[in-house]
Amino acid sequence: MVSRLELVEELEAAAAPSPSDALVELAGLLTATRLKRLTYKCDEGRLIVSEYVALKHQRDDAADVCRICHGPGTVRPAEADDETGERLLRDTCLCRGSIGCVHEECLVRWYETAGLPPDPRCPTCRGQFRNEGGLVLSRRLVAHRRSQAAARTTPETPTDLARRRHAEITQASALWRRCDYKGAKKAFETALSEIRRAHDDEATLRANIYYVTATLNLALVELAMGHLDAAERGARWAQEALSGSDQELRATHNLALILDERGLVAEAAALYEDVHSTRRDQLGAAHPDSLRTACNLGRCYNRLGNTDAAVALLTETRSAALASLGDADELTLAASHNLSETRAARGEYAEARQLALASLDARRRVCGEQHIHTLRSTLDLARLLRADPNGADDEAIQLCASAATGLEKLLGKNHTQTARARNLLEQWRGAPPPAAPTAQVDDGRERVALVETLDVADEQKSAVLDVLVAALRERGVAELVVPLARDDAHRERKWDAVIGVADLDGGTRFAHRLNI
């Protein structure tokens, strides 16, 4: 007979140590929101459990993911065509299980960041790269040495110079898209400085497409870093330089993006309308550039209070993006996110929550937990849950805390977006919780508990788990996930599913799920 479990500690997720990424991935909860860390004691021992909120479909999702970017992919043979860049390499080192795969592009990018050492070793397992992974890195090293040798012996031709400029801007843009804003800013500024040394007059600089492109992209980096004056200055210069060219629409679109962030929403909307009309005529309504502008224009309409126009435009845009790009494309996710904001502004919280939850879940899977788009979606969902009469206050606070921490790491403590998130968090924690929900809303989520520590004698485990299930049921938890070793006798207990297997804590662990 097991004595009653006593809850001796209940911590918010932000204040508690985090379980390892490998354990969370094993449990299928990488894209879930962690709410609490619960510590239970009884005469038989101690248990530590983390409580999550997850979309119901996550529990049966299983896919190979890259251990660097956490993006999805497929393990394919080397001779298979891979125009998408989603081919995963496996068995590249000593890493196994949930960290056993890596995108070829991500591996090469890591190798380049590490300085292309002649004897690269995995930073996780410290083992040498081997098999196809070793071959990929060896090819990159050979190409680098050949390039260095050519640079020492051959004068740079105009064609070579153009290729180098293009490569520099492409690499800087890749840093920006990976949210390495400091690295991108340094790379763009270095390229711009070198071009200015070769061409110091304004007319020549305006005619240099590499200089103008780098300036335009640097403006977006400045925007992301919160340097709004520098961002607007660079965007306006680039727009003037590109006037009359086929790139003028892109420059105008980016300027509108910066003005929108500065709060000049009416001016931004007017620019977006002009760009959108032209792009629809020239490229068609379903072209990604047309959809991107429509997505931003819909957001402006919402901020200007014209929610009818916003809903109509964003619904059309989201449908077109789904049909042509799929549900995981960033344009589709952005349209869903903006439509969710608009639905919430109209008080249509049920529809808004469905869109916001699906968008955040997809961004966590596709972009990663610490991507700027994911962090913004996290904060916006927190606001939505807080405003919704049927929302979840504890989840809103945890989402806000997670977003604030991520924004501080990515953008810095003094960035405007970080300050907004911190201010919201302090305000919510200091205020009394809102009234209890008036009705239960099935929005596709459920609470899941993950056992981190089960410090109980083997002969008592089954009885202790029964008592734990009863305690979690009272908290509204729908599922319990318990990692067990291969030879653990309790694997023979009646479970609803085995949802994952991975090398963890020096041995193979199996994640068993029990529906509560």
Side-chain angles (χ1 to χ4, degrees), residues 27-262:
L29 296 170
L30 271 179
T31 63
T33 300
R34 187 174 182 233
L35 299 179
K36 305 279 187 180
R37 183 179 188 260
L38 312 173
T39 301
Y40 291 96
K41 283 190 177 180
C42 62
D43 292 342
E44 289 73 20
R46 181 181 70 128
L47 299 87
I48 297 177
V49 179
S50 277
E51 193 175 305
Y52 291 81
V53 171
L55 290 180
K56 291 178 183 177
H57 72 77
Q58 289 176 349
R59 66 188 189 184
D60 294 318
D61 284 352
D64 291 310
V65 296
C66 173
R67 66 170 174 264
I68 294 178
C69 73
H70 302 300
T74 304
V75 179
R76 302 188 187 124
E79 63 271 13
D81 292 335
D82 182 42
E83 298 179 356
T84 66
E86 293 183 352
R87 184 168 70 89
L88 287 168
L89 306 180
R90 180 179 283 161
D91 196 24
T92 60
C93 55
L94 299 177
C95 291
R96 293 290 184 275
S98 58
I99 58 171
C101 295
V102 62
H103 285 131
E104 180 176 335
E105 290 184 359
C106 291
L107 181 62
V108 171
R109 193 157 53 236
W110 166 83
Y111 185 47
E112 292 171 344
T113 303
L116 287 85
D119 183 28
R121 291 180 176 269
C122 172
T124 302
C125 68
R126 305 298 180 187
Q128 287 184 320
F129 286 98
R130 61 190 187 186
N131 299 330
E132 195 173 356
L135 178 60
V136 165
L137 298 188
S138 295
R139 286 171 174 167
R140 180 66 188 88
L141 180 61
V142 169
H144 174 68
R145 288 173 171 170
R146 186 185 303 116
S147 175
Q148 286 184 318
R152 289 193 296 268
T153 59
T154 307
E156 192 171 40
T157 66
T159 301
D160 291 336
L161 175 60
R163 287 173 178 166
R164 180 163 64 84
R165 295 278 190 243
H166 183 269
E168 290 169 350
I169 294 173
T170 299
Q171 290 169 4
S173 299
L175 292 173
W176 160 52
R177 292 189 178 93
R178 296 203 303 273
C179 300
D180 182 0
Y181 300 127
K182 291 182 179 179
K185 179 178 170 69
K186 181 179 180 181
F188 279 127
E189 288 179 339
T190 299
L192 290 168
S193 177
E194 186 176 338
I195 296 173
R196 279 196 299 271
R197 283 197 297 269
H199 311 284
D200 57 358
D201 63 290
E202 181 75 6
T204 304
L205 292 177
R206 285 176 178 270
N208 188 306
I209 188 59
Y210 299 110
Y211 188 87
V212 178
T213 300
T215 301
L216 186 59
N217 288 355
L218 177 59
L220 295 180
V221 175
E222 300 282 19
L223 171 65
M225 298 180 73
H227 306 155
L228 300 184
D229 288 339
E232 183 177 349
R233 186 167 53 249
R236 289 194 183 278
W237 184 91
Q239 185 194 34
E240 292 177 7
L242 291 169
S243 178
S245 74
D246 58 356
Q247 292 295 311
E248 181 180 3
L249 290 177
R250 175 170 173 257
T252 304
H253 179 279
N254 289 357
L255 176 59
L257 190 67
I258 293 166
L259 294 176
D260 184 12
E261 188 68 24
R262 300 209 73 164

Side-chain angles (χ1 to χ4, degrees), residues 459-482:
E459 62 272 15
Q460 296 291 337
K461 277 184 181 179
S462 183
V464 169
L465 286 173
D466 288 338
V467 178
L468 176 63
V469 166
L472 294 174
R473 185 182 293 117
E474 292 181 1
R475 296 179 62 90
V477 174
E479 293 181 2
L480 175 65
V481 178
V482 184

